[in-house]
Amino acid sequence: MHSFRLRLIVALIVGVTLLSVASTYFEVLAHKHMLRQELERRSVWMGTSIQSDFENALANGNRQVLNQLTERLKTRTGVLGLAIFDANGQMLSSYGPAPILQILPQEIIKKSIEKGAVEGGFGHNDETQWLVEAFPLHNGSTMAGSLVVLADASYIRAQTNDLWARSFWWA
């Protein structure tokens, strides 16, 4: 009889623990998804608001003005980085962390230029996570290039880790 009680107690503890871990897992996934959607929404809003500035700068063809505009708007928007590409996918101007700007996914930029639509995706290296949003730039009716907005997504991992820790502390 004593052995039965002990097994029942252990089974209940294991069952409650597994249920708690499963519940936390789905809660973390939902929270992470919500944070990513919000970051995408903010990045699209920022990119759309500065898109016309870059279209005008590209139409003028002055590279110095383009570099100054990239630096000024990166600082004003608070994004991780900004880059401008021509219609062939060659970088014209950038401002932000060079290691990340060098490994930008070219397929996102090319899709944005080919489709004439906003394209995006998440990326990471050892210490940083980011969101890449590429916006098509037009010169009248022709495709002039792409504006790439890099947004810092590192806080998403920190918040999900915090959610795991709080959940385990509560359990």
Side-chain angles (χ1 to χ4, degrees), residues 85-91 106 109-110 113:
F85 292 84
D86 65 10
N88 298 320
Q90 298 299 316
M91 188 181 295
Q106 292 297 312
I109 297 162
K110 288 180 181 177
I113 293 170

Side-chain angles (χ1 to χ4, degrees), residues 42-52 54 77 135 147 149:
R42 278 186 286 138
S43 296
V44 168
W45 178 82
M46 275 189 260
T48 304
S49 68
I50 62 176
Q51 189 174 13
S52 62
F54 284 106
T77 59
F135 300 84
L147 160 66
V149 175

Side-chain angles (χ1 to χ4, degrees), residues 9-52:
I9 290 170
V10 169
L12 285 172
I13 290 172
V14 169
V16 168
T17 302
L18 287 176
L19 185 63
S20 176
V21 168
S23 173
T24 300
Y25 174 75
F26 289 112
E27 183 180 348
V28 166
L29 281 181
H31 187 68
K32 188 176 183 178
H33 181 70
M34 188 256 327
L35 289 173
R36 283 179 166 221
Q37 282 185 324
E38 181 59 30
L39 181 60
E40 288 174 352
R41 206 176 356 256
R42 278 186 286 138
S43 296
V44 168
W45 178 82
M46 275 189 260
T48 304
S49 68
I50 62 176
Q51 189 174 13
S52 62

Side-chain angles (χ1 to χ4, degrees), residues 6-137:
L6 188 58
R7 283 187 292 166
L8 181 61
I9 290 170
V10 169
L12 285 172
I13 290 172
V14 169
V16 168
T17 302
L18 287 176
L19 185 63
S20 176
V21 168
S23 173
T24 300
Y25 174 75
F26 289 112
E27 183 180 348
V28 166
L29 281 181
H31 187 68
K32 188 176 183 178
H33 181 70
M34 188 256 327
L35 289 173
R36 283 179 166 221
Q37 282 185 324
E38 181 59 30
L39 181 60
E40 288 174 352
R41 206 176 356 256
R42 278 186 286 138
S43 296
V44 168
W45 178 82
M46 275 189 260
T48 304
S49 68
I50 62 176
Q51 189 174 13
S52 62
D53 295 332
F54 284 106
E55 287 174 339
N56 293 337
L58 276 176
N60 292 340
N62 187 344
R63 185 109 182 222
Q64 182 64 27
V65 170
L66 191 61
N67 289 336
Q68 291 170 350
L69 181 65
T70 304
E71 182 178 349
R72 189 179 81 235
L73 289 177
K74 188 266 183 206
T75 305
R76 188 180 85 190
T77 59
V79 295
L80 186 61
L82 287 176
I84 304 300
F85 292 84
D86 65 10
N88 298 320
Q90 298 299 316
M91 188 181 295
L92 299 176
S93 176
S94 67
Y95 195 75
I100 295 173
L101 290 169
Q102 291 172 354
I103 60 170
L104 284 176
Q106 292 297 312
E107 57 274 357
I108 290 176
I109 297 162
K110 288 180 181 177
K111 278 184 185 178
S112 173
I113 293 170
E114 289 171 3
K115 293 181 178 179
V118 178
E119 292 289 327
F122 285 89
H124 65 88
N125 61 14
D126 292 336
E127 62 272 348
T128 308
Q129 293 181 337
W130 60 84
L131 169 67
V132 177
E133 291 285 351
F135 300 84
L137 297 174

